[in-house]
Amino acid sequence: MRADAKETAAQWLAFQAIREVEVGNAGAARQLSHVRWRSPRTRRQSSLALALARAGESTQSKAILEALKKSEPSNTFLKVYCSP
């Protein structure tokens, strides 16, 4: 963030949220997931949706995935990997 690489920093936060939830720290994962999930990057949004789903926030996770599906209806990554 300090180096003005906001997209890269947000991607690292998404990865950190997944790591936190995998080791059982769902609260930290929720906090990290709420930092910037509205960014246009599909992979980061799908990573945050995964972290939220694993942390028990399925409603918000579904909302993120539905918004992604509407914005990118031909995205195979979303259809095959994320949505199921």
Side-chain angles (χ1 to χ4, degrees):
M1 293 293 245
R2 289 187 297 255
D4 202 31
K6 294 176 184 172
E7 295 298 324
T8 303
Q11 184 65 48
W12 280 105
L13 287 174
F15 291 151
Q16 182 63 32
I18 292 172
R19 284 191 292 272
E20 290 293 337
V21 79
E22 292 298 323
V23 297
N25 195 355
R30 283 186 199 104
Q31 286 179 331
L32 288 167
S33 296
H34 293 299
V35 173
R36 275 192 66 213
W37 68 267
R38 288 187 171 89
S39 179
R41 299 286 185 184
T42 302
R43 294 210 183 246
R44 179 178 45 253
Q45 285 184 333
S46 59
S47 298
L48 292 175
L50 172 66
L52 286 168
R54 298 289 301 228
E57 299 283 336
S58 60
T59 304
Q60 190 169 11
S61 177
K62 286 179 185 177
I64 294 169
L65 286 176
E66 290 302 318
L68 283 172
K69 284 183 194 177
K70 286 180 183 176
S71 68
E72 299 183 38
S74 63
N75 189 325
T76 306
F77 178 76
L78 290 173
K79 289 181 182 177
V80 176
Y81 180 71
C82 291
S83 295

